[in-house]
Amino acid sequence: MSETAFTPMARKQMAARVAQDIPEGWYVNLGIGIPTLVADFVPAGREVVFHSENGVLGMGPAPAPEDADPWLINAGKQQVTLVRGGAYVHHADSFAMIRGGHLDLCVLGAFEVAENGDVANWATSANDTAPAVGGAMDLAAGAKRLWVVMEHTTKEGAPRLVRRCGYPLTAMGAVRRVYTNLAVLDVTPEGFAVVEMVPGLTLEALQARTDAPLRLAKPVGETA
């Protein structure tokens, strides 16, 4: 039986989907990669305070080329803007915010997420943009919640949602929710629960691209 046609989300669509779920008033750290795009897609009128570990609080969306400030960058060395009331702070003060539990949410990219919430997201190759763990361990431990946004599989088609991570761990049991280019999944005591999928994708087809077992999340209000 052939699969129903479906279209994976592009990176900007993934970022916009994450932004849709961030509540009003949250303080949110955005990690390197797809997470940095999230600030561009917060719904109009919703106030979210974005943090970057290099010392920016009140980070805005990416600037227009003519408005770019070469001295105002995020942790991924990308130029950003500062919203009204935003601030630059010392690196040590930035990590005091992280380690002090003052962030409602951290959004990270990852190589793998395990069904128990373990996450592996740090690069070990000198060819990578950030070949080290950086502040990810602090963020995973210090933020009140951790969401991951990443491609559902590698370029070769290998699953990134796994039973157990094969890469060095960034944190154990820390991930609450995963956003991929195919689906949104919650990490529960019973494993991955699929909240939604891209149009045309079936649970069977999603499972074929996933190492860990999947189940559908219960609709709001439904009990076992």
Side-chain angles (χ1 to χ4, degrees):
M1 182 175 178
S2 61
E3 290 185 355
T4 306
F6 63 90
T7 302
M9 287 189 285
R11 290 165 63 91
K12 288 184 178 181
Q13 291 175 301
M14 295 163 68
R17 181 61 189 85
V18 175
Q20 178 183 323
D21 284 348
I22 301 175
E24 170 82 19
W26 274 17
Y27 286 78
V28 181
N29 174 276
L30 299 179
I32 294 172
I34 298 174
T36 61
L37 301 173
V38 173
D40 296 345
F41 296 101
V42 175
R46 185 183 302 175
E47 183 179 17
V48 178
V49 181
F50 288 111
H51 169 270
S52 184
E53 70 186 68
N54 59 313
V56 185
L57 187 64
M59 183 173 60
E66 63 274 16
D67 297 327
D69 180 347
W71 296 103
L72 182 53
I73 61 173
N74 61 22
K77 302 178 183 177
Q78 298 166 312
Q79 291 173 333
V80 295
T81 55
L82 196 69
V83 301
R84 185 175 183 179
Y88 318 127
V89 300
H90 190 280
H91 208 177
D93 295 320
S94 179
F95 272 78
M97 297 177 197
I98 297 169
R99 295 169 180 168
H102 303 291
L103 297 177
D104 295 292
L105 170 68
C106 174
V107 183
L108 290 178
F111 292 117
E112 293 177 328
V113 176
E115 62 185 348
N116 65 347
D118 291 352
V119 58
N121 91 319
W122 60 288
T124 57
S125 168
N127 296 323
D128 287 290
T129 303
V133 71
M137 284 185 174
D138 295 87
L139 288 160
K144 295 175 183 176
R145 302 164 187 83
L146 178 62
W147 295 350
V148 164
V149 55
M150 64 180 186
E151 302 285 342
H152 201 90
T153 64
T154 67
K155 293 179 180 178
E156 295 73 31
R160 294 181 183 270
L161 296 177
V162 296
R163 296 172 187 268
R164 293 292 179 268
C165 292
Y167 286 93
L169 292 184
T170 303
M172 298 173 65
V175 180
R176 297 270 196 97
R177 174 167 277 201
V178 182
Y179 296 80
T180 78
N181 56 336
L182 300 180
V184 179
L185 309 95
D186 282 337
V187 178
T188 76
E190 293 77 36
F192 289 117
V194 181
V195 176
E196 65 184 53
M197 295 177 283
V198 296
L201 181 64
T202 65
L203 183 63
E204 182 182 15
L206 185 66
Q207 182 66 78
R209 293 161 173 80
T210 309
D211 174 57
L214 302 176
R215 61 180 178 83
L216 291 175
K218 295 183 179 67
V220 175
E222 182 179 319
T223 58

